[in-house]
Amino acid sequence: PQLLLRGGPLFPRPGFLIRSLRFAAKLTCGLGAFCLLAWAALGLVSPPPLLEGVPFGRMVLDANGGIMRISRAEDGIFRLRVALDDIAPEAVDALIRYEDKHFFRHPGVNPLSLLRAAWTTYVSGGRRMGGSTISMQVARMRLKLDSSGIGGKLRQIGAALLLERHYDKQDILEAYFNLAPYGGNIEG
């Protein structure tokens, strides 16, 4: 009871709680307004390319549809362009469940995943853990970002928000399936 009285140790001055709540409300409104303005401003920035300019190889099929030959893209990578509609729905579901289970519910960045990964990796000393969403991974792969440091991670976050502002989720998923590394010189 002593702690809850005015002027007690918990609230040293009268009105402290009210002033603190007002400050928190103003801060929240200010941050919300900043986020809305930033989101609107992203619409004015030209979108980064998803798959435009990415070289793709070719696949030659025989009369029965069997693969005869796959050629490398101009950059020496075995990469074939595949439409999202041609990818098995089970593969799409598995990717979303493993890489980014909240893919359809966030704007390109999942702050809780980033905080969890930072806490596990840097504070608690656990194994290194990623917090990147599928959109963040597409931004890193497409723009060749080094996201190992804080500056690179911030650029990756900005690029992911920009991708989400200009492309729909289906386009981003298709880009992921066409750019993801599978070892050696095989992508997509």
Side-chain angles (χ1 to χ4, degrees):
Q2 175 70 13
L3 293 176
L4 298 176
L5 296 175
R6 279 189 178 182
L10 187 59
F11 301 113
R13 294 173 302 227
F16 175 77
L17 180 62
I18 299 297
R19 284 193 304 277
S20 297
L21 289 173
R22 284 183 184 151
F23 175 75
K26 288 177 184 176
L27 183 62
T28 303
C29 288
L31 285 174
F34 173 78
C35 289
L36 283 173
L37 286 173
W39 188 251
L42 285 175
L44 302 175
V45 178
S46 61
L50 267 179
L51 293 174
E52 298 81 18
V54 174
F56 289 94
R58 296 185 188 272
M59 181 169 39
V60 178
L61 304 174
D62 64 17
N64 298 322
I67 298 173
M68 291 178 56
R69 179 173 188 256
I70 297 176
S71 65
R72 292 186 193 137
E74 296 168 8
D75 58 0
I77 303 292
F78 285 103
R79 184 187 310 110
L80 298 173
R81 177 81 186 249
V82 179
L84 187 61
D85 293 339
D86 295 334
I87 298 170
E90 297 83 6
V92 175
D93 290 341
L95 171 77
I96 291 170
R97 287 176 204 261
Y98 183 77
E99 291 289 340
D100 187 359
K101 62 184 170 192
H102 301 293
F103 178 67
F104 289 104
R105 293 189 296 266
H106 62 65
V109 177
N110 186 339
L112 294 178
S113 292
L114 288 173
L115 288 172
R116 184 193 71 235
W119 180 266
T120 303
T121 303
Y122 300 111
V123 178
S124 70
R127 71 174 179 82
R128 188 167 185 199
M129 170 184 245
S132 295
T133 62
I134 290 174
S135 302
M136 290 173 68
Q137 292 179 56
V138 168
R140 178 183 45 79
M141 291 184 290
R142 184 61 181 102
L143 302 174
K144 309 226 184 296
L145 298 173
D146 176 12
S147 61
S148 58
I150 292 176
K153 187 59 77 176
L154 291 174
R155 283 189 292 282
Q156 184 185 20
I157 288 169
L161 290 171
L162 197 56
L163 285 175
E164 289 269 349
R165 181 72 169 94
H166 291 282
Y167 299 102
D168 65 25
K169 295 284 189 176
Q170 305 304 319
D171 293 335
I172 293 169
L173 272 175
E174 184 174 310
Y176 183 91
F177 274 104
N178 281 281
L179 297 173
Y182 290 97
N185 65 343
I186 301 171
E187 290 183 3

